Amino acid sequence: MKKVAFYTLGCKLNYSESSSIGRMFEDKGYTKVEFNENPDIFIINTCSVTENADKKCRKIVREAQKINADGYVAIIGCYAQLKPKEISEIPGVDAVLGAAEKFRLVELIDTFEKTPSGQPAQVIASTIDHAVEYHTSYSLNDRTRTFLKVQDGCDYPCAYCTIPLARGKSRSDSIENIVKAARDIASRDVKEIVLTGVNIGDFGLRNGVREETFLDLIKALDEVEGIERFRISSIEPNLLTDEIIEFVAQSKRFAPHFHIPLQSGSNKVLGLMKRRYKRELYTERVAKIKALMPDCCIGVDVIVGHPGETKELFEETYHFLNELEVSYLHVFTYSERENTTALAIRPIVSKSERAERSKMLHILSDKKKRFFYESQIGKESKVLFEDEVQNGRMLGFTGNYVRVAVKYDPLLINETKDVRFDHINPEGLMEVTEVAEEILVH
């Protein structure tokens, strides 16, 4: 049978879906291989959050052609839904599938025979209102942890965002089905599950009706035997309720780690972005988390250079973040996206100014992360070691997302060890002492 390879751009959600689609190919007898192992079929799962993601798609297509000029190239994902015709005109592309079609890839394309030169690529992409089905997905065999999709789509009309146009309305599977998937993952000796989606706090909508809640979901998952740790990937501040925070604080398996999008520390910019909260709510959420879980790691998404963000308003964001007790920042530089309302907002921030603001927040993030790591020195925690090695050192994460480095030992892969935080090494990783035997493992 033919060999198939996947290349995934973008978010954890895309990784979960690529893995699930890959298993569909394997169920049909295809052999899944690495991208550089001369596959017969290349599946590129795209992102379209930034302009660079679009450019990356084109580059990956060129690389696929270099590896196997006769290889069949199919494009799926957000970029494929937003711009199917544009992608179909990229030299070397054979098929483009939209959001409603990507999970039917194996049945919609029978032979995967290369399109003859001069003939157009096949476009199988319906309008986004057809993307109504929910497909439970999770990654396997890709890394020590698994990404489990619990929600898809979004009903929020944020001014800068194309995700509702690329993934459709908010929808979820049932708690029963997701718990079943978690048990299947547990049976494969996976120790950590990361819950992912577009807007996971909105979990529970089916056919536009809320049947369950995210709190119901995490309570059910906390009872799944065999999984040592669940991690919540990202949750909107207006959906992160006190009840969710309180449950995580006393749960058996949920990690003390929240990633909470902020996007701006200026209420005026938040209004322009059409976000559903003010910065005062964000402050309350952080304070509540830290009161119940002082060692909890808190990550923040921030967009710099959004239209309407003057120098003074950016400084508001900078000072707000500087005073906030958070652990790291994910900084995104605003880029113009077609069919978004942000395009009509003025003034426009120059690209050079966007870059300067991004640099300032990256420096602030480094300082925040360093301060958080230093606050952990001398404390004890559990670290799950991964099959990842850098310069002879293997890496792992604690529940509160401190990245740990130790001397490579194959017996430690996918094992959880009690450790004491010792010091931060020159690479910014935490060096540890193994508590159980009081042996230095670094």
Side-chain angles (χ1 to χ4, degrees):
M1 290 296 289
K2 292 182 176 180
K3 298 182 293 183
V4 60
F6 286 76
Y7 194 97
T8 304
L9 296 160
C11 62
K12 298 177 179 70
L13 184 55
N14 273 5
Y15 279 95
S16 72
E17 293 182 340
S18 290
S19 189
S20 290
I21 294 169
R23 291 194 293 279
M24 292 177 183
F25 272 90
E26 290 176 312
D27 289 344
K28 292 287 187 179
Y30 291 84
T31 302
K32 191 175 174 185
V33 299
E34 295 298 321
F35 205 79
N36 60 354
E37 293 179 342
N38 199 37
D40 303 293
I41 306 163
F42 296 89
I43 310 297
I44 303 172
N45 194 353
T46 61
C47 168
S48 194
V49 172
T50 68
E51 183 181 4
N52 285 336
D54 296 356
K55 293 175 181 176
K56 286 177 182 177
C57 175
R58 293 176 175 270
K59 183 175 181 180
I60 299 304
V61 172
R62 290 196 298 270
E63 291 304 313
Q65 288 184 288
K66 290 177 186 176
I67 293 167
N68 182 2
D70 296 322
Y72 189 96
V73 178
I75 313 294
I76 62 175
C78 292
Y79 184 27
Q81 177 64 39
L82 292 173
K83 297 184 177 180
K85 186 176 186 300
E86 180 177 309
I87 297 172
S88 71
E89 295 169 354
I90 298 174
V93 171
D94 297 287
V96 184
L97 289 90
E101 293 80 19
K102 62 188 173 186
F103 281 94
R104 298 170 55 216
L105 179 62
V106 181
E107 63 179 87
L108 290 174
I109 303 173
D110 289 331
T111 61
F112 290 97
E113 295 295 333
K114 189 71 181 171
T115 306
S117 180
Q119 289 191 18
Q122 187 178 13
V123 176
I124 314 173
S126 52
T127 56
I128 195 58
D129 55 298
H130 287 82
V132 294
E133 290 187 21
Y134 183 83
H135 300 271
T136 297
S137 305
Y138 52 88
S139 59
L140 279 178
N141 304 321
D142 298 328
R143 53 191 74 198
T144 305
R145 69 175 65 91
T146 286
F147 300 132
L148 172 59
K149 177 174 125 182
V150 302
Q151 183 273 342
D152 200 355
C154 189
D155 297 338
Y156 286 11
C158 296
Y160 51 82
C161 186
T162 59
I163 296 301
L165 303 175
R167 284 191 168 268
K169 291 187 177 296
S170 180
R171 56 199 185 276
S172 315
D173 203 346
S174 66
I175 290 176
E176 181 182 1
N177 284 344
I178 291 172
V179 167
K180 182 181 177 182
R183 288 181 177 139
D184 181 49
I185 293 167
S187 72
R188 299 167 188 257
D189 199 33
V190 173
K191 301 290 179 63
E192 179 177 319
I193 292 178
V194 182
L195 305 184
T196 186
V198 177
N199 187 0
I200 64 174
D202 201 32
F203 172 85
L205 284 175
R206 286 193 291 284
N207 299 317
V209 178
R210 186 167 307 285
E211 298 183 5
E212 296 166 316
T213 69
F214 186 68
L215 180 60
D216 296 331
L217 174 65
I218 62 176
K219 284 181 176 179
L221 289 173
D222 202 45
E223 300 301 323
V224 174
E225 298 290 340
I227 299 298
E228 294 187 11
R229 182 189 294 166
F230 286 95
R231 196 180 297 277
I232 299 171
S233 62
S234 179
I235 184 166
E236 293 284 306
N238 54 301
L239 298 176
L240 178 58
T241 62
D242 285 348
E243 291 79 10
I244 292 171
I245 296 169
E246 288 163 2
F247 177 77
V248 169
Q250 56 82 47
S251 71
K252 292 177 284 189
R253 294 181 170 88
F254 274 82
H257 175 205
F258 289 95
H259 193 93
I260 316 169
L262 170 67
Q263 311 307 13
S264 176
S266 159
N267 282 338
K268 182 173 182 180
V269 176
L270 287 173
L272 293 172
M273 291 176 165
K274 297 184 180 178
R275 300 292 286 168
R276 298 191 174 198
Y277 53 86
K278 294 184 183 297
R279 71 182 200 171
E280 288 78 11
L281 175 72
Y282 201 95
T283 303
E284 290 174 12
R285 294 294 182 262
V286 171
K288 176 76 173 183
I289 292 167
K290 285 296 185 178
L292 296 179
M293 295 169 276
D295 293 321
C296 185
C297 178
I298 303 176
V300 186
D301 285 341
V302 196
I303 296 172
V304 295
H306 189 275
E309 183 189 65
T310 63
K311 182 175 182 292
E312 292 74 21
L313 294 178
F314 168 72
E315 287 174 354
E316 265 190 57
T317 292
Y318 186 92
H319 293 305
F320 177 72
L321 288 167
N322 190 43
E323 297 299 319
L324 206 59
E325 195 177 358
V326 295
S327 314
Y328 64 90
L329 314 176
H330 276 177
V331 184
F332 299 88
T333 302
Y334 171 79
S335 62
E336 288 77 1
R337 314 309 289 151
E338 289 182 18
N339 301 312
T340 56
T341 57
L343 294 174
I345 300 172
R346 297 294 183 272
I348 295 172
V349 182
S350 70
K351 290 193 174 182
S352 61
E353 184 60 29
R354 295 180 209 180
E356 183 59 31
R357 293 176 189 180
S358 175
K359 182 179 178 182
M360 288 176 66
L361 286 189
H362 275 100
I363 293 170
L364 179 60
S365 178
D366 290 343
K367 291 178 179 177
K368 290 279 186 184
K369 183 178 177 182
R370 181 83 185 191
F371 182 81
F372 176 63
Y373 274 34
E374 287 175 347
S375 74
Q376 300 300 297
I377 291 174
K379 296 180 180 180
E380 295 181 4
S381 188
K382 292 181 181 292
V383 57
L384 174 61
F385 289 102
E386 302 183 349
D387 188 10
E388 184 176 352
V389 180
Q390 291 182 7
N391 302 319
R393 315 281 282 164
M394 65 187 303
L395 306 178
F397 281 99
T398 62
N400 64 342
Y401 214 53
V402 174
R403 202 170 199 194
V404 167
V406 300
K407 183 180 178 181
Y408 176 71
D409 181 349
L411 292 177
L412 286 177
I413 294 171
N414 203 31
E415 293 294 330
T416 302
K417 295 291 182 182
D418 292 307
V419 300
R420 181 178 295 115
F421 298 126
D422 192 59
H423 66 275
I424 304 167
N425 70 20
E427 288 77 41
L429 304 172
M430 185 71 79
E431 299 279 350
V432 298
T433 303
E434 189 174 9
V435 174
E437 300 177 12
E438 290 295 336
I439 297 172
L440 286 178
V441 294
H442 63 272

